[in-house]
Amino acid sequence: MLLMFAVIFQLPATFFTKQGMTMKRNIGSNFRIPPATLQSTITLSIILLMPLYDKILIPITKRIKNNGKGISVMERMGVGMFLSIIAIVIAAIVERKRLDISQKMKTLPDYDPETVPLSIFWLLPQYILLGISDIFTVVGMQEFFYSEVPVRMRTMGFALYTSVFGVGSFVSAALISVVEAYSSSTGDCQNWFADDMSEARLDNYYWLLALTSTISFVVYIVLCKFFKSSSDQGDEKEEAPTK
């Protein structure tokens, strides 16, 4: 169920950057922001917000839930998955706005097909939200795969954690191939991944990811209701009366 989260996390280095290349990137008259540098905002979000996660959020949840753990590992991953869905919805809305402006600019005599007069900073919310979702999901994944496997297999648990993003990359590539084959084969519809960004429909692809991620999230919630962690099972054994 975390594979769609991994698919979404491929976007900052690919389609988000491709969007940024067509947007207004000037700061002052001489400097233009390289679109790939916005990926650093994910890392900055993690660095700045991780202390708040440890020092504020966890203590608050401990008090609210009246236990020593606060928010559980499964809840952490769920929060991160939900935030990644919000991020991709925002990305779809921003891309739709970029396309609308691009279509309107085509009617003007000074139309520049390479640059849309929309600031690249419109992409910041989706980057920042992905950074926040990383704090919840990736940290939760590490803890989950490390704690739920037997002690002698904890290295295997770490390998399972990293495999999520490896398999997610393959799923992303396969999904793009299928969507591109379908969208380019229909006569009325333009290829969603056309080289001309004024004709591409990345917003449709983002909505597709939002839908599939929502389905994964719902199934994840259902599976969590039936999941019992090894620590809970250990607690039950300790509480069981001895004969």
Side-chain angles (χ1 to χ4, degrees):
M1 296 302 101
L2 289 167
L3 288 178
M4 289 311 302
F5 174 83
V7 169
I8 290 176
F9 241 82
Q10 310 303 316
L11 296 176
T14 54
F15 292 129
F16 286 4
T17 301
K18 191 173 182 180
Q19 282 177 263
M21 292 174 66
T22 67
M23 300 172 77
K24 186 178 179 182
R25 297 180 279 134
N26 297 73
I27 295 182
S29 56
N30 298 319
F31 182 72
R32 299 185 74 192
I33 302 173
T37 57
L38 287 189
Q39 296 176 46
S40 63
T41 57
I42 295 178
T43 305
L44 288 174
S45 300
I46 296 170
I47 293 172
L48 294 175
L49 297 176
M50 184 63 82
L52 299 179
Y53 174 86
D54 287 329
K55 300 298 183 183
I56 297 178
L57 179 64
I58 298 301
I60 289 176
T61 55
K62 285 181 180 179
R63 291 185 180 180
I64 292 175
K65 301 186 71 174
N66 196 25
N67 61 34
K69 296 180 180 179
I71 183 172
S72 69
V73 174
M74 307 302 285
E75 290 169 340
R76 292 179 196 181
M77 291 190 287
V79 169
M81 292 172 69
F82 177 76
L83 290 176
S84 70
I85 295 171
I86 300 300
I88 202 64
V89 168
I90 291 174
I93 294 171
V94 171
E95 174 61 8
R96 181 66 262 176
K97 181 179 180 66
R98 189 193 68 81
L99 286 172
D100 288 342
I101 294 175
S102 178
Q103 294 299 322
K104 291 177 182 177
M105 291 294 295
K106 283 185 176 182
T107 60
L108 301 179
D110 57 345
Y111 170 64
D112 181 3
E114 295 185 357
T115 304
V116 175
L118 180 68
S119 173
I120 194 173
F121 293 114
W122 277 89
L123 299 178
L124 278 180
Q126 60 209 54
Y127 279 98
I128 293 172
L129 272 176
L130 283 181
I132 299 173
S133 70
D134 185 280
I135 294 173
F136 286 93
T137 304
V138 174
V139 173
M141 285 168 60
Q142 289 177 334
E143 187 174 340
F144 174 80
F145 284 114
Y146 187 79
S147 62
E148 293 302 325
V149 298
V151 175
R152 294 180 180 179
M153 295 179 62
R154 283 184 173 169
T155 304
M156 179 65 71
F158 185 76
L160 289 170
Y161 150 68
T162 54
S163 71
V164 171
F165 290 97
V167 177
S169 298
F170 285 108
V171 172
S172 176
L175 185 60
I176 289 172
S177 297
V178 171
V179 169
E180 184 172 25
Y182 173 76
S183 61
S184 59
S185 65
T186 52
D188 318 308
C189 236
Q190 177 67 43
N191 181 0
W192 289 6
F193 308 116
D195 292 332
D196 185 353
M197 287 295 288
S198 64
E199 299 294 336
R201 293 305 307 270
L202 288 181
D203 57 324
N204 288 344
Y205 179 63
Y206 293 161
W207 285 119
L208 176 63
L209 291 183
L211 175 62
T212 52
S213 298
T214 300
I215 294 172
S216 294
F217 179 60
V218 172
V219 176
Y220 173 82
I221 292 174
V222 173
L223 293 177
C224 284
K225 294 184 180 296
F226 296 97
F227 175 77
K228 183 169 278 190
S229 71
S230 57
S231 59
D232 292 339
Q233 294 175 15
D235 293 341
E236 285 185 3
K237 291 178 181 178
E238 292 177 3
E239 293 173 2
T242 56
K243 294 184 180 180

Short mmCIF file of all heavy atoms in Angstrom, two decimals, residues 76-105:
data_model
loop_
_atom_site.label_atom_id
_atom_site.label_comp_id
_atom_site.label_asym_id
_atom_site.label_seq_id
_atom_site.Cartn_x
_atom_site.Cartn_y
_atom_site.Cartn_z
N ARG A 76 1.44 7.08 11.96
CA ARG A 76 2.42 7.97 11.34
C ARG A 76 2.46 7.76 9.83
O ARG A 76 2.44 8.72 9.05
CB ARG A 76 3.82 7.70 11.92
CG ARG A 76 3.97 8.09 13.37
CD ARG A 76 5.36 7.75 13.87
NE ARG A 76 5.40 7.78 15.33
CZ ARG A 76 6.47 7.55 16.05
NH1 ARG A 76 7.61 7.27 15.45
NH2 ARG A 76 6.43 7.59 17.36
N MET A 77 2.54 6.51 9.42
CA MET A 77 2.58 6.23 7.99
C MET A 77 1.29 6.68 7.31
O MET A 77 1.31 7.20 6.19
CB MET A 77 2.82 4.74 7.75
CG MET A 77 4.21 4.28 8.13
SD MET A 77 4.60 2.60 7.59
CE MET A 77 3.61 1.63 8.73
N GLY A 78 0.16 6.49 7.98
CA GLY A 78 -1.12 6.93 7.42
C GLY A 78 -1.19 8.43 7.23
O GLY A 78 -1.67 8.92 6.19
N VAL A 79 -0.70 9.19 8.21
CA VAL A 79 -0.68 10.65 8.10
C VAL A 79 0.18 11.07 6.91
O VAL A 79 -0.18 11.96 6.13
CB VAL A 79 -0.17 11.30 9.41
CG1 VAL A 79 0.11 12.79 9.21
CG2 VAL A 79 -1.17 11.10 10.53
N GLY A 80 1.35 10.43 6.77
CA GLY A 80 2.22 10.76 5.65
C GLY A 80 1.59 10.45 4.31
O GLY A 80 1.72 11.23 3.36
N MET A 81 0.91 9.31 4.21
CA MET A 81 0.22 8.96 2.96
C MET A 81 -0.85 9.98 2.64
O MET A 81 -1.01 10.40 1.48
CB MET A 81 -0.40 7.57 3.09
CG MET A 81 0.63 6.45 3.18
SD MET A 81 -0.11 4.85 3.56
CE MET A 81 -1.00 4.51 2.03
N PHE A 82 -1.61 10.40 3.66
CA PHE A 82 -2.67 11.40 3.44
C PHE A 82 -2.08 12.72 2.96
O PHE A 82 -2.62 13.34 2.03
CB PHE A 82 -3.45 11.60 4.75
CG PHE A 82 -4.52 12.65 4.65
CD1 PHE A 82 -5.71 12.39 3.99
CD2 PHE A 82 -4.34 13.91 5.21
CE1 PHE A 82 -6.70 13.37 3.90
CE2 PHE A 82 -5.31 14.89 5.12
CZ PHE A 82 -6.50 14.61 4.46
N LEU A 83 -0.98 13.16 3.57
CA LEU A 83 -0.36 14.43 3.16
C LEU A 83 0.18 14.35 1.74
O LEU A 83 0.16 15.34 1.00
CB LEU A 83 0.76 14.80 4.14
CG LEU A 83 0.33 15.21 5.54
CD1 LEU A 83 1.54 15.45 6.43
CD2 LEU A 83 -0.54 16.46 5.50
N SER A 84 0.67 13.18 1.33
CA SER A 84 1.17 13.03 -0.04
C SER A 84 0.03 13.15 -1.05
O SER A 84 0.21 13.68 -2.15
CB SER A 84 1.90 11.70 -0.21
OG SER A 84 1.01 10.60 -0.17
N ILE A 85 -1.16 12.68 -0.66
CA ILE A 85 -2.34 12.82 -1.54
C ILE A 85 -2.72 14.30 -1.67
O ILE A 85 -3.01 14.78 -2.78
CB ILE A 85 -3.53 12.01 -0.98
CG1 ILE A 85 -3.19 10.51 -1.02
CG2 ILE A 85 -4.79 12.28 -1.79
CD1 ILE A 85 -4.20 9.64 -0.29
N ILE A 86 -2.69 15.03 -0.55
CA ILE A 86 -2.98 16.47 -0.60
C ILE A 86 -1.97 17.17 -1.49
O ILE A 86 -2.32 18.07 -2.29
CB ILE A 86 -2.96 17.07 0.82
CG1 ILE A 86 -4.01 16.41 1.71
CG2 ILE A 86 -3.20 18.58 0.76
CD1 ILE A 86 -5.43 16.56 1.21
N ALA A 87 -0.70 16.78 -1.39
CA ALA A 87 0.36 17.40 -2.20
C ALA A 87 0.11 17.19 -3.69
O ALA A 87 0.26 18.12 -4.50
CB ALA A 87 1.73 16.84 -1.81
N ILE A 88 -0.29 15.99 -4.08
CA ILE A 88 -0.50 15.72 -5.50
C ILE A 88 -1.77 16.39 -6.01
O ILE A 88 -1.85 16.77 -7.18
CB ILE A 88 -0.52 14.19 -5.76
CG1 ILE A 88 -0.19 13.90 -7.23
CG2 ILE A 88 -1.83 13.57 -5.38
CD1 ILE A 88 1.17 14.29 -7.66
N VAL A 89 -2.77 16.57 -5.15
CA VAL A 89 -3.97 17.32 -5.54
C VAL A 89 -3.61 18.78 -5.80
O VAL A 89 -4.04 19.38 -6.79
CB VAL A 89 -5.06 17.21 -4.45
CG1 VAL A 89 -6.18 18.21 -4.70
CG2 VAL A 89 -5.62 15.79 -4.41
N ILE A 90 -2.79 19.36 -4.91
CA ILE A 90 -2.32 20.74 -5.12
C ILE A 90 -1.52 20.84 -6.41
O ILE A 90 -1.67 21.80 -7.18
CB ILE A 90 -1.48 21.20 -3.92
CG1 ILE A 90 -2.37 21.35 -2.68
CG2 ILE A 90 -0.78 22.52 -4.22
CD1 ILE A 90 -1.61 21.67 -1.41
N ALA A 91 -0.68 19.82 -6.67
CA ALA A 91 0.11 19.82 -7.91
C ALA A 91 -0.79 19.82 -9.14
O ALA A 91 -0.51 20.49 -10.14
CB ALA A 91 1.04 18.61 -7.92
N ALA A 92 -1.88 19.06 -9.09
CA ALA A 92 -2.81 19.00 -10.22
C ALA A 92 -3.50 20.35 -10.44
O ALA A 92 -3.66 20.80 -11.58
CB ALA A 92 -3.87 17.92 -9.97
N ILE A 93 -3.86 21.02 -9.35
CA ILE A 93 -4.53 22.32 -9.46
C ILE A 93 -3.58 23.37 -10.03
O ILE A 93 -3.95 24.17 -10.92
CB ILE A 93 -5.06 22.77 -8.08
CG1 ILE A 93 -6.17 21.82 -7.61
CG2 ILE A 93 -5.57 24.21 -8.12
CD1 ILE A 93 -6.62 22.04 -6.18
N VAL A 94 -2.33 23.38 -9.55
CA VAL A 94 -1.33 24.34 -10.05
C VAL A 94 -1.04 24.08 -11.53
O VAL A 94 -0.93 25.03 -12.32
CB VAL A 94 -0.04 24.25 -9.21
CG1 VAL A 94 1.08 25.09 -9.85
CG2 VAL A 94 -0.29 24.72 -7.79
N GLU A 95 -0.94 22.81 -11.92
CA GLU A 95 -0.67 22.49 -13.32
C GLU A 95 -1.83 22.91 -14.21
O GLU A 95 -1.63 23.40 -15.33
CB GLU A 95 -0.41 21.00 -13.46
CG GLU A 95 -0.24 20.50 -14.88
CD GLU A 95 0.92 21.12 -15.63
OE1 GLU A 95 1.74 21.84 -15.01
OE2 GLU A 95 1.05 20.88 -16.85
N ARG A 96 -3.05 22.75 -13.72
CA ARG A 96 -4.22 23.20 -14.49
C ARG A 96 -4.20 24.71 -14.68
O ARG A 96 -4.50 25.22 -15.77
CB ARG A 96 -5.49 22.77 -13.75
CG ARG A 96 -6.82 23.13 -14.43
CD ARG A 96 -7.00 22.38 -15.72
NE ARG A 96 -6.64 23.18 -16.89
CZ ARG A 96 -6.64 22.73 -18.12
NH1 ARG A 96 -6.95 21.48 -18.38
NH2 ARG A 96 -6.30 23.52 -19.12
N LYS A 97 -3.79 25.43 -13.63
CA LYS A 97 -3.68 26.89 -13.72
C LYS A 97 -2.59 27.27 -14.73
O LYS A 97 -2.77 28.19 -15.54
CB LYS A 97 -3.35 27.47 -12.34
CG LYS A 97 -3.24 28.99 -12.31
CD LYS A 97 -2.95 29.48 -10.91
CE LYS A 97 -2.84 30.99 -10.89
NZ LYS A 97 -4.11 31.67 -11.21
N ARG A 98 -1.46 26.56 -14.70
CA ARG A 98 -0.37 26.84 -15.64
C ARG A 98 -0.82 26.61 -17.07
O ARG A 98 -0.53 27.42 -17.97
CB ARG A 98 0.83 25.95 -15.31
CG ARG A 98 2.10 26.30 -16.08
CD ARG A 98 3.14 25.20 -15.95
NE ARG A 98 2.70 23.99 -16.64
CZ ARG A 98 2.82 23.81 -17.96
NH1 ARG A 98 3.34 24.75 -18.73
NH2 ARG A 98 2.39 22.69 -18.51
N LEU A 99 -1.56 25.53 -17.32
CA LEU A 99 -2.05 25.24 -18.67
C LEU A 99 -3.06 26.29 -19.14
O LEU A 99 -3.05 26.69 -20.31
CB LEU A 99 -2.70 23.86 -18.70
CG LEU A 99 -1.74 22.66 -18.66
CD1 LEU A 99 -2.52 21.37 -18.50
CD2 LEU A 99 -0.87 22.62 -19.91
N ASP A 100 -3.94 26.73 -18.24
CA ASP A 100 -4.92 27.76 -18.61
C ASP A 100 -4.23 29.05 -19.03
O ASP A 100 -4.61 29.67 -20.03
CB ASP A 100 -5.87 28.03 -17.43
CG ASP A 100 -6.84 26.88 -17.19
OD1 ASP A 100 -7.01 26.05 -18.10
OD2 ASP A 100 -7.41 26.80 -16.09
N ILE A 101 -3.22 29.45 -18.27
CA ILE A 101 -2.49 30.67 -18.62
C ILE A 101 -1.77 30.49 -19.95
O ILE A 101 -1.74 31.39 -20.79
CB ILE A 101 -1.49 31.03 -17.50
CG1 ILE A 101 -2.25 31.41 -16.23
CG2 ILE A 101 -0.58 32.18 -17.93
CD1 ILE A 101 -1.35 31.66 -15.03
N SER A 102 -1.18 29.30 -20.15
CA SER A 102 -0.47 29.03 -21.39
C SER A 102 -1.40 29.11 -22.59
O SER A 102 -1.03 29.66 -23.64
CB SER A 102 0.19 27.65 -21.32
OG SER A 102 0.85 27.33 -22.51
N GLN A 103 -2.61 28.57 -22.46
CA GLN A 103 -3.57 28.61 -23.57
C GLN A 103 -4.01 30.05 -23.87
O GLN A 103 -4.16 30.42 -25.04
CB GLN A 103 -4.81 27.76 -23.23
CG GLN A 103 -4.51 26.27 -23.11
CD GLN A 103 -3.97 25.67 -24.40
OE1 GLN A 103 -4.40 26.03 -25.50
NE2 GLN A 103 -3.02 24.75 -24.28
N LYS A 104 -4.18 30.86 -22.83
CA LYS A 104 -4.57 32.27 -23.04
C LYS A 104 -3.45 33.06 -23.70
O LYS A 104 -3.69 33.95 -24.51
CB LYS A 104 -4.95 32.91 -21.70
CG LYS A 104 -6.25 32.36 -21.10
CD LYS A 104 -6.51 32.99 -19.74
CE LYS A 104 -7.78 32.41 -19.11
NZ LYS A 104 -8.01 32.95 -17.76
N MET A 105 -2.20 32.73 -23.34
CA MET A 105 -1.05 33.46 -23.89
C MET A 105 -0.86 33.19 -25.37
O MET A 105 -0.25 33.99 -26.08
CB MET A 105 0.22 33.07 -23.12
CG MET A 105 0.27 33.56 -21.69
SD MET A 105 0.35 35.36 -21.56
CE MET A 105 1.93 35.68 -22.32
#
